[in-house]
Amino acid sequence: MTLQKKIYEGKAKIIFSGPKENTLIQYFKDDATAFNAKKIKVLEGKGEINNLISEHLMKILSNNQIPNHFIKKISNREQLIHQCKIIPLEVVVRNIAAGSICKRLGIKEGKKFKDPIIEFYYKNDKLNDPIVNNCHIISFGWSNEKELLKINKISLKVNKVLKRKFEEISISLIDFKLEFGRKTSDNSLVVADEISPDSCRLCDVNSHEKFDKDIFRYDKGNLVDAYKNLSIRLGIMK
Ligand code: TMP
Ligand code: ASP
């Protein structure tokens, strides 16, 4: 594990200072949390797998010219990333109805949306990450009109690229959450945080077997085994 200075500890990751200016180290913990940490468990091996999957998916973004914070994986649980000022939003893209949208709007789970739906949530645990719209975001200065347009455009591109990649292995990308940051080196907008089965909903197109954190949220089986199976399907684990 790194000997660098701890800068921030979140629910599933720790951020350490990096070896060079404008870099950080992102460390993946084994902790799983759900429902704003009302449910917590240590799931041995989860951190390593999420590091591996997030590396793989961020590299796919890079190969598709989608700017992101990933530089390189430096150990089983750590990756070197560009230092960013995180925008306090969780950007959710939905292809198929699941989770909170079903409850909030009374939509049947499994409904396919004609076009992807983008939602913004204000990243604030004390307030339970409430849903917000463009007016809130601009009025409270979390972002601006021009940057929000870029966030929408990048989010839809990430969806297109990842949805296609998962379809190639007969997995459906139901929805996912992105976070964005501005690089401290040049203030440019990048996809930050992680993209892993902790922050996506994924299921087999035919059997509907799940490969995501809903397994932990709703006690549907062994999460680490499911993440391993996903890694095998992605071709990044034997
Ligand atoms: P939701 O249906 O609970 O709003 O979740 C939508 C997507 O966002 C789902 O893929 C899980 C992900 N997500 C996170 O990554 N972090 C969170 O805190 C929440 C609530 C959801
Ligand atoms: N990550 C969030 C938490 O624990 C919620 C979730 O993913 O369900 O608190």
Side-chain angles (χ1 to χ4, degrees), residues 1-230:
M1 193 173 148
T2 177
L3 296 172
Q4 306 289 117
K5 185 172 145 256
K6 190 198 274 193
I7 291 181
Y8 170 82
E9 178 155 6
K11 286 178 285 214
K13 294 185 297 294
I14 306 173
I15 300 294
F16 295 95
S17 61
K20 279 199 219 150
E21 208 188 342
N22 297 315
T23 66
L24 294 171
I25 291 168
Q26 177 164 255
Y27 175 95
F28 288 77
K29 301 196 280 186
D30 280 342
D31 303 24
T33 68
F35 312 117
N36 200 8
K38 283 192 190 76
K39 182 168 177 173
I40 306 180
K41 204 170 172 186
V42 176
L43 300 173
E44 208 178 309
K46 181 178 83 86
E48 282 190 24
I49 305 176
N50 275 353
N51 188 21
L52 194 67
I53 296 175
S54 198
E55 173 199 24
H56 181 68
L57 298 180
M58 289 291 185
K59 278 182 176 168
I60 291 174
L61 301 198
S62 298
N63 291 340
N64 284 277
Q65 293 74 49
I66 300 173
N68 64 82
H69 76 167
F70 180 81
I71 302 173
K72 63 175 180 183
K73 187 170 166 230
I74 53 174
S75 79
N76 284 348
R77 288 180 184 273
E78 293 166 309
Q79 42 185 248
L80 185 66
I81 57 171
H82 292 287
Q83 184 175 16
C84 293
K85 174 111 184 51
I86 293 289
I87 298 168
L89 296 174
E90 301 207 338
V91 181
V92 169
V93 181
R94 301 182 188 269
N95 296 305
I96 297 174
S100 68
I101 197 170
C102 297
K103 267 198 197 156
R104 191 171 51 249
L105 301 178
I107 294 167
K108 196 162 176 273
E109 193 178 323
K111 179 186 163 62
K112 285 199 177 126
F113 300 126
K114 200 163 128 279
D115 296 303
I117 291 175
I118 301 183
E119 295 172 340
F120 299 109
Y121 296 83
Y122 175 41
K123 249 175 89 66
N124 184 318
D125 284 342
K126 277 192 204 141
L127 300 176
N128 227 346
D129 297 348
I131 193 163
V132 292
N133 66 23
N134 292 28
C135 294
H136 300 113
I137 295 167
I138 293 164
S139 176
F140 302 136
W142 300 324
S143 184
N144 58 57
E145 206 167 334
K146 200 171 149 207
E147 191 179 62
L148 268 182
L149 279 174
K150 279 192 198 164
I151 289 175
N152 271 281
K153 203 171 153 198
I154 295 173
S155 300
L156 290 176
K157 187 163 179 196
V158 172
N159 185 45
K160 199 170 157 191
V161 166
L162 294 187
K163 195 166 165 280
R164 194 177 56 214
K165 274 282 160 196
F166 281 114
E167 273 164 6
E168 282 169 15
I169 53 168
S170 298
I171 288 176
S172 167
L173 177 60
I174 298 166
D175 58 30
F176 61 94
K177 182 261 307 183
L178 295 177
E179 293 188 23
F180 287 84
R182 302 175 197 112
K183 274 162 70 178
T184 50
S185 59
D186 61 4
N187 213 35
S188 63
L189 183 70
V190 291
V191 174
D193 192 53
E194 70 183 295
I195 310 180
S196 77
D198 271 14
S199 58
C200 302
R201 283 196 177 91
L202 298 158
C203 77
D204 185 276
V205 169
N206 302 304
S207 69
H208 299 295
E209 176 189 353
K210 282 179 189 291
F211 299 101
D212 59 63
K213 204 165 82 173
D214 270 357
I215 295 171
F216 168 72
R217 291 189 187 99
Y218 304 109
D219 300 312
K220 296 278 185 201
N222 186 316
L223 176 129
V224 174
D225 283 351
Y227 284 21
K228 274 185 192 159
N229 289 337
L230 177 67

